[in-house]
Amino acid sequence: MYVHIGEDAMVRMNDIVAIMDVQAAEDSLIMEQFMKDNDNGIVDLCQSACKSIVITDFKVYLSPLSSATLKKRAEKMSRPLGRK
């Protein structure tokens, strides 16, 4: 299954390691260092303000969608068919 994370980007659910709120990540020294270390693997999907960071096995995505929206999409995709 794939999750739409903003713009025209979709990632496999199994590749997602974490979805973080940008504000929380900005307050973390560990995340600051992580972003610096992975600078060339960052894909910026935001045309204006970024709201979340999606970390996958292969890349880091800056998403214009909120972490709550992405979480709901991921949960919806992981439910068995026929369940609401």
Side-chain angles (χ1 to χ4, degrees), residues 20-80:
M20 301 183 67
D21 182 72
V22 165
Q23 294 297 330
E26 286 177 351
D27 295 337
S28 169
L29 295 174
I30 293 170
M31 275 305 295
E32 182 180 332
Q33 187 62 46
F34 175 81
M35 296 298 278
K36 285 180 185 176
D37 292 346
N38 292 290
D39 187 42
N40 49 342
I42 296 175
V43 178
D44 189 351
L45 303 173
C46 306
Q47 293 182 4
S48 58
C50 292
K51 295 181 181 176
S52 63
I53 300 170
V54 179
I55 301 170
T56 69
D57 290 333
F58 310 103
K59 294 188 185 278
V60 176
Y61 296 89
L62 303 179
S63 174
L65 304 175
S66 73
S67 57
T69 298
L70 294 173
K71 178 183 177 211
K72 287 177 191 174
R73 288 181 180 187
E75 288 173 345
K76 182 178 178 182
M77 297 305 294
S78 66
R79 281 190 221 133

